[in-house]
Amino acid sequence: MAVQYRAALRPPQCRACFPCSTRCDGGAAERGLSHPCGAPLPPADMDRARSGISGVLSSLSLLCVILDLQLDGSLAAGQAEVESHLEMGRKLLAAGQLAEALSHYHSAVDGDPKNYLTYYKRATVYLAMGKFKSALPDLNRAIELKPDFLAARLQRGNILLKQGDTHQAKEDLQIVLVSSPSNEEARSQLERAQEVELHREEAWAAYNREDYVGAVSWLEKVVEYSPWDPSIRELRSECHLFNGDLTKAIQDLKPTTKLRNDNRAAFLKLSQLYYIMGDHEESLSQIRECLKLDQDDKDCHTHYKQVKKLSRQLESAEELIREHRYEAAVEKFEAAMKTEPDVELYSKRAKERICHCLSKSQHTEAAIKVCTDALQRDPHNTQVLKDRAEVYILNEEYDKAVEDFRQAKELDGDNEEINQGLERAQKLLKQSRKRDYYKILGVKRNANKQEVIKAYRKLAQQWHPDNFQSEEEKREAEKKFIDIAAAKEVLTDPEMRQKVDAGEDPLDPENQQGSGHHQQWPFEFNPFSSGNFHFKFNFN
């Protein structure tokens, strides 16, 4: 615009000097009061030029004022909004609504990214939420914006100490004490940082000389002041492993999965420890966490396949037991022992469950063998003792059943099934010394009604008194025959058989007193009459 203005004022003879106008500087030429070649303007032209330039400058000044006013208004509005967010954050923080408070502090930081206080206040919310990792960058930024901000340095020193970074923690705490020598918190934390360094050195020295118990003792003091230091927890976990305490090793290792980012090594180790302890379900859960971080992790994937295969076999076997498919369950447990032959706990568990399956399926001979083997592996297993006792009852070895139930009761006296089993076994033992209906007919305790009747018919024909000549033989046959008939009557009657299986004798006179029940025999004869015996059989 100024160039056009000056071109309109120059005389025709000056046109040749126009190309130099952009290179002219200083004095009247710069202000448009002379030609670029140096020739002065006429007075009238000079007045017009001055008037035009003055107008332009006035317009520019007015524009600057307007822009300044708009900028001041915008800044004022933005600052008011930031203050509003800070105030709301303070109120919500006081009310314990941490997530809502954090949202307002986020807005305050976005609105005023150069304000050190907004970062500090947001850091306090993170700390209240237990998110120390998120708090630390905000404290760093606050100190960067205001290096002499002692409150932020004190907070950062505390976090660094808990993380085990004693060197940086001491720097912050010493700066606080230089500016504020009477700050007791800073002084106390500085002493703790120095103690942590000493205890850590002692712990490593004990570990290196294989004094793992001593190392654990020193590390407990370190963890007290630096609970967020993953390296210390990992070291103490190793010491617990050397001391044979897998549970404590796991307790120390678990927090490190959160204290370190992408801690696949910890997840793998946790899975392996749970696997060794026989907890295949938790082992599977931990190894899956490793694969979430990296599904292509070779070590985690290899262990995952092993745990997954074993877990499927064990879970399938338990499902078959619930369906009462005991023989199929036995096959699954045997397959599981082949899948993991080295971890003794899985072999013990498989033997225990196979014992249970064989007991339930009434394979007495095989059950006694497997249950006995299982008890040799685990002598205090009450479930195996109970299952073997049930097998002994099926095998009519009541004295052995009583012994197993008694041993199980000593280990678990509050178990109602064991207490009831012992009482039943004792009744059966007492009954067997008097009259055992199963033995009379020579049938197993799990014999069905048809087997009972078949045995009865055979024995009734064998011991019929008419088959014997002498009076003595007839009397013996008569006694046998009565017992055989009574056994058949009892064992074919569901109610009386249930009493027999519970250890009671439904035909015992002691049990009949006051009941008004009189047993009717299934045949007609007079055992006290003289002469020939005449029997009428009822085989149904």
Side-chain angles (χ1 to χ4, degrees):
M1 178 179 178
V3 173
Q4 292 175 350
Y5 179 75
R6 288 197 296 271
L9 292 178
R10 69 174 177 267
Q13 67 271 24
C14 290
R15 289 183 186 277
C17 71
F18 176 73
C20 73
S21 63
T22 57
R23 296 190 300 273
C24 293
D25 56 1
E30 189 177 57
R31 294 191 299 272
L33 300 180
S34 67
H35 293 292
C37 59
L41 292 174
D45 291 341
M46 290 182 66
D47 288 341
R48 283 195 300 272
R50 290 191 182 97
S51 175
I53 292 171
S54 176
V56 171
L57 292 175
S58 297
S59 298
L60 290 173
S61 298
L62 179 61
L63 179 61
C64 289
V65 170
I66 292 172
L67 290 173
D68 285 345
L69 288 173
Q70 289 178 341
L71 181 61
D72 289 344
S74 176
L75 291 173
Q79 190 60 37
E81 187 177 353
V82 169
E83 292 297 330
S84 174
H85 283 303
L86 290 173
E87 179 61 19
M88 284 299 299
R90 184 190 66 78
K91 291 180 179 179
L92 290 168
L93 180 60
Q97 296 175 268
L98 302 181
E100 292 81 357
L102 185 61
S103 177
H104 283 282
Y105 283 124
H106 283 325
S107 299
V109 169
D110 293 340
D112 190 1
K114 294 297 181 68
N115 188 336
Y116 69 94
L117 275 175
T118 58
Y119 289 100
Y120 178 74
K121 290 178 180 178
R122 187 169 69 175
T124 60
V125 179
Y126 278 130
L127 290 174
M129 298 174 75
K131 298 181 177 180
F132 67 92
K133 286 185 177 180
S134 300
L136 199 55
D138 276 354
L139 292 173
N140 291 339
R141 181 60 176 155
I143 294 170
E144 180 185 339
L145 293 169
K146 188 174 176 57
D148 62 344
F149 188 18
L150 299 185
R153 283 196 178 273
L154 181 58
Q155 285 284 19
R156 188 171 73 174
N158 288 337
I159 292 176
L160 292 172
L161 174 57
K162 289 184 177 182
Q163 288 182 323
D165 189 350
T166 53
H167 178 72
Q168 293 295 329
K170 288 194 299 183
E171 283 190 5
D172 276 338
L173 296 169
Q174 286 167 347
I175 290 173
V176 173
L177 287 172
V178 168
S179 300
S180 179
S182 61
N183 191 310
E184 288 299 324
E185 182 180 355
R187 187 174 303 281
S188 173
Q189 290 296 84
L190 181 59
E191 291 175 358
R192 288 182 174 181
Q194 293 167 342
E195 286 181 28
V196 165
E197 290 180 337
L198 292 173
H199 295 331
R200 193 161 51 199
E201 290 177 7
E202 293 288 350
W204 274 109
Y207 178 82
N208 289 331
R209 64 175 179 265
E210 299 183 1
D211 177 13
Y212 304 116
V213 174
V216 167
S217 179
W218 286 110
L219 290 170
E220 286 175 354
K221 299 175 183 179
V222 177
V223 172
E224 182 181 354
Y225 295 145
S226 300
W228 300 339
D229 184 353
S231 64
I232 292 301
R233 289 188 176 274
E234 288 164 351
L235 178 59
R236 191 168 67 171
S237 178
E238 284 295 313
C239 292
H240 286 313
L241 285 178
F242 281 117
N243 292 331
D245 195 334
L246 273 64
T247 301
K248 287 185 178 179
I250 287 174
Q251 289 173 352
D252 263 334
L253 197 57
K254 266 192 172 182
T256 68
T257 61
K258 295 181 180 179
L259 294 171
R260 288 193 192 279
N261 295 325
D262 191 13
N263 199 348
R264 282 173 283 160
F267 282 119
L268 175 59
K269 193 167 186 178
L270 282 168
S271 179
Q272 291 169 337
L273 290 175
Y274 278 117
Y275 187 81
I276 292 171
M277 293 174 66
D279 192 345
H280 63 93
E281 293 177 346
E282 188 61 30
S283 176
L284 191 60
S285 174
Q286 294 297 325
I287 203 63
R288 280 173 173 161
E289 292 299 320
C290 176
L291 292 174
K292 284 180 184 178
L293 296 172
D294 182 2
Q295 63 180 356
D296 297 323
D297 188 291
K298 184 178 179 180
D299 293 334
C300 288
H301 188 67
T302 300
H303 186 61
Y304 169 76
K305 289 194 297 183
Q306 173 72 6
V307 181
K308 182 65 175 176
K309 181 179 180 181
L310 182 67
S311 295
R312 282 178 175 173
Q313 289 172 330
L314 294 175
E315 289 169 6
S316 176
E318 292 297 336
E319 180 62 29
L320 290 168
I321 289 177
R322 288 190 288 271
E323 296 172 358
H324 306 295
R325 297 168 59 190
Y326 299 113
E327 292 182 2
V330 168
E331 292 179 2
K332 286 291 183 181
F333 282 120
E334 289 175 344
M337 286 193 289
K338 292 179 180 178
T339 298
E340 183 47 76
D342 299 325
V343 179
E344 179 66 15
L345 282 170
Y346 293 111
S347 297
K348 285 182 179 180
R349 181 177 303 168
K351 288 287 185 179
E352 171 194 322
R353 302 305 282 158
I354 291 173
C355 164
H356 177 74
C357 292
L358 293 174
S359 171
K360 288 293 185 180
S361 58
Q362 299 183 349
H363 295 301
T364 56
E365 185 177 347
I368 290 173
K369 182 179 179 181
V370 173
C371 294
T372 301
D373 183 24
L375 284 171
Q376 288 175 350
R377 294 168 181 261
D378 186 5
H380 303 298
N381 192 317
T382 56
Q383 181 62 45
V384 175
L385 285 167
K386 185 167 72 70
D387 285 330
R388 191 173 70 170
E390 294 292 348
V391 177
Y392 279 140
I393 288 176
L394 286 172
N395 219 34
E396 300 177 5
E397 298 179 76
Y398 306 119
D399 52 341
K400 292 182 179 179
V402 169
E403 180 59 29
D404 274 356
F405 274 126
R406 279 178 178 167
Q407 189 176 344
K409 184 174 182 178
E410 290 176 3
L411 296 168
D412 187 5
D414 297 328
N415 189 305
E416 192 60 30
E417 286 187 10
I418 292 174
N419 291 332
Q420 290 177 356
L422 176 59
E423 183 179 354
R424 178 163 50 90
Q426 288 171 332
K427 286 181 179 179
L428 289 169
L429 178 60
K430 181 181 178 181
Q431 176 185 312
S432 69
R433 291 169 178 169
K434 293 182 178 179
R435 182 164 48 180
D436 188 329
Y437 296 110
Y438 290 101
K439 280 188 176 181
I440 290 171
L441 293 182
V443 296
K444 295 289 186 180
R445 298 190 72 84
N446 58 349
N448 57 37
K449 185 175 180 179
Q450 287 73 22
E451 291 172 330
V452 170
I453 293 174
K454 182 179 179 181
Y456 161 70
R457 287 174 176 172
K458 181 179 179 180
L459 291 173
Q461 291 173 354
Q462 177 184 346
W463 292 98
H464 192 289
D466 288 347
N467 295 334
F468 301 91
Q469 300 300 320
S470 70
E471 292 298 323
E472 185 178 351
E473 288 176 339
K474 286 183 181 292
R475 281 195 295 271
E476 183 65 26
E478 177 187 328
K479 181 179 178 182
K480 278 274 191 182
F481 193 84
I482 291 173
D483 286 342
I484 292 167
K488 179 259 184 183
E489 180 71 7
V490 169
L491 297 182
T492 55
D493 184 295
E495 184 178 348
M496 287 195 287
R497 184 168 180 173
Q498 186 176 3
K499 290 182 179 180
V500 169
D501 290 340
E504 299 179 14
D505 185 352
L507 302 184
D508 190 332
E510 293 181 2
N511 296 332
Q512 302 301 322
Q513 287 179 0
S515 65
H517 177 75
H518 299 284
Q519 179 62 41
Q520 299 297 322
W521 301 109
F523 46 83
E524 298 174 7
F525 72 98
N526 182 1
F528 304 105
S529 64
S530 58
N532 294 331
F533 296 100
H534 301 283
F535 296 92
K536 183 178 181 180
F537 292 98
N538 178 7
F539 291 112
N540 297 321

